[in-house]
Amino acid sequence: MVQNERLSTRDWLGAVVAGGLLMQATVSWTSHSAAVTDGVVGIVADFAHLLGAALWIGGLVVLAMVVPTLLHRVSDDVAQLAAQLIRRFTVLATAGVTISVATGLTIAAWHVPTVNSLSATRYGSALSVKVALVLVAIGLGGFNRFILHRRLRTPKHRHEDRSIVRAMFVPLPTPGFHSTSSACEVVQTFVRAVRIELVILVVVVLLSGVITSIPTAANAIDQDESTNEIVYESVTNNVTATLRVVPGQVGPNVFDIQLTQDGERVSADEPVTILLQQSEQDTSLPQMELNRTGHGMYSTVGMIPRNGTWELRVNTWINGTYVSDHHTINVSSTNSSTDQMDHTQHQQQPTGSDFTRFLRFGALGVAIAGTVAVGYETMGTIARRRDD
């Protein structure tokens, strides 16, 4: 009976992991990165970014739930066990942070072309706040690993510089333990640090949701520099769909749709999707799902890879009625020659501005340093296990 319960628990956890990975793949498929550079590369980068964040945040959730149970025991074993948890979690957290930060810098290099765009666009401002919060969370993780871990492993350090810990985290009474125990005091501080770090990262996740619903900095700059746009209006089953494509050229474009019925805006029952196809080139782009930006208003960012005639189809359900609009749009590049445009894009893609090169080198540096750190922490954990 016990074995069956263990198997059911294992199956349940497997289903949760599979569902989480499927959800991440779905989000990555419709992300900004899927519409920039090569579609597969963008989707893989975004998926890895989400996976790294999941490892980091998921580990924190487990620590926030498990470690407090240790506070009901007052002995040195509590300190040793907490130290082991910190050390083992560090391996997982370092791997998650490395993957998330390295891919995040790579993605930022696609969407943020200049330093000025960090403050000149909504996307850049939101991304700057997100980066600042992530740095604070990383700092808390470093505090746990290099300060609290040392104090838990070495008894003589538990009484040193306690004022620093008290200054950073106000002690809270915990049922079932005596506050006079220096080991438990450090464990308490560790729990608070984990919870604060978790709250910060939850805010980061919410902010990421906001970032995915607004045009990227690169696309916002393109809109400001271009007045060209494509606008279509069609009526299907008494529903008027107004489609706006900006800048209406080869490259990233904003697709805006407004739905009205009898002169008033109406919301769709199901997600509004756009499918782009080019019959002459036998090309079909991944279906794009638009984000709801207001009552009856939807928007997303998508890539049009080449010029020519494109068939655009808008699909949704409104008041139980299926609405499907077909449009034919003519897309041209800003250069006089398509070959010149393609050649320029291929040359600029790997280089870009000094800022984007800095981001790419930063991503490489984080990947290398993170890999070394994961190896170091893994070897340290193995060595500690042998000593214990």
Side-chain angles (χ1 to χ4, degrees), residues 7 16 47 59 70 75 78 89 108 121 126 134 147 175 179 212 214 250 268 272 276 284-285 297 332 336 369 371 373:
L7 288 175
V16 170
F47 182 84
L70 301 176
S75 66
V78 176
F89 171 70
T121 63
V134 169
I147 296 180
S179 60
T212 58
I214 58 180
V250 172
V272 179
L276 278 172
S284 180
L285 301 182
M297 301 179 66
S332 62
S336 59
T371 302

Side-chain angles (χ1 to χ4, degrees), residues 71-382:
L71 297 177
H72 296 285
R73 305 174 185 177
V74 184
S75 66
D76 288 338
D77 291 341
V78 176
Q80 294 298 323
L81 184 55
Q84 292 176 10
L85 286 173
I86 294 176
R87 188 84 192 216
R88 293 180 181 181
F89 171 70
T90 299
V91 178
L92 180 66
T94 304
V97 170
T98 300
I99 296 172
S100 186
V101 173
T103 54
L105 290 172
T106 302
I107 293 172
W110 295 335
H111 301 315
V112 186
T114 63
V115 177
N116 294 335
S117 58
L118 288 173
S119 58
T121 63
R122 289 186 300 163
Y123 184 94
S125 299
L127 183 62
S128 299
V129 175
K130 176 182 176 180
V131 170
L133 291 175
V134 169
L135 290 176
V136 173
I138 292 176
L140 285 172
F143 173 77
N144 290 334
R145 171 62 183 88
F146 296 106
I147 296 180
L148 296 185
H149 179 265
R150 183 190 62 166
R151 294 178 182 178
L152 290 170
R153 290 294 304 181
T154 310
K156 69 177 183 178
H157 290 311
R158 294 179 195 153
H159 302 279
E160 296 178 359
D161 302 327
R162 269 200 226 167
S163 59
I164 298 178
V165 179
R166 289 172 178 169
M168 293 184 63
F169 307 100
V170 179
L172 297 174
T174 301
F177 99 20
H178 304 288
S179 60
T180 55
S181 171
S182 60
C184 285
E185 181 179 345
V186 176
V187 174
Q188 269 191 318
T189 304
F190 167 69
V191 171
R192 292 189 198 95
V194 167
R195 289 175 177 173
I196 294 174
E197 185 179 354
L198 182 59
V199 169
I200 291 175
L201 290 179
V202 169
V203 176
V204 169
V205 172
L206 296 176
L207 189 58
S208 298
V210 174
I211 290 175
T212 58
S213 64
I214 58 180
T216 65
N219 196 74
I221 292 174
D222 288 341
Q223 290 183 56
D224 294 337
E225 294 177 348
S226 175
T227 58
N228 183 36
E229 64 178 8
I230 299 174
V231 179
Y232 284 100
E233 185 175 288
S234 62
V235 179
T236 305
N237 296 328
N238 200 31
V239 175
T240 301
T242 303
L243 170 67
R244 182 171 174 264
V245 183
V246 179
Q249 299 171 349
V250 172
N253 284 262
V254 173
F255 296 83
D256 290 325
I257 291 180
Q258 178 177 288
L259 302 175
T260 58
Q261 190 173 35
D262 299 328
E264 296 183 358
R265 282 186 293 186
V266 58
S267 295
D269 302 330
E270 300 290 339
V272 179
T273 61
I274 287 179
L275 182 63
L276 278 172
Q277 294 177 320
Q278 194 174 45
S279 301
E280 57 190 35
Q281 298 289 340
D282 194 22
T283 301
S284 180
L285 301 182
Q287 180 174 272
M288 296 180 289
E289 181 175 320
L290 281 70
N291 301 305
R292 187 176 184 271
T293 58
H295 181 58
M297 301 179 66
Y298 302 86
S299 180
T300 191
V301 178
M303 170 70 76
I304 300 180
R306 66 172 66 91
N307 63 356
T309 301
W310 287 84
E311 298 172 7
L312 188 150
R313 185 171 63 190
V314 180
N315 300 317
T316 189
W317 285 82
I318 300 177
N319 296 330
T321 303
Y322 180 67
V323 176
S324 181
D325 293 332
H326 297 261
H327 303 284
T328 301
I329 61 175
N330 294 314
V331 178
S332 62
S333 62
T334 56
N335 291 350
S336 59
S337 171
T338 303
D339 293 337
Q340 181 180 357
M341 177 66 179
D342 293 339
H343 179 69
T344 303
Q345 284 184 326
H346 284 303
Q347 283 192 336
Q348 290 182 350
Q349 180 68 25
T351 56
S353 65
D354 291 337
F355 182 64
T356 56
R357 283 195 293 270
F358 169 77
L359 292 176
R360 292 190 182 101
F361 279 116
L364 179 61
V366 169
I368 295 174
T371 302
V372 173
V374 170
Y376 173 80
E377 292 293 343
T378 301
M379 296 300 296
T381 300
I382 295 175

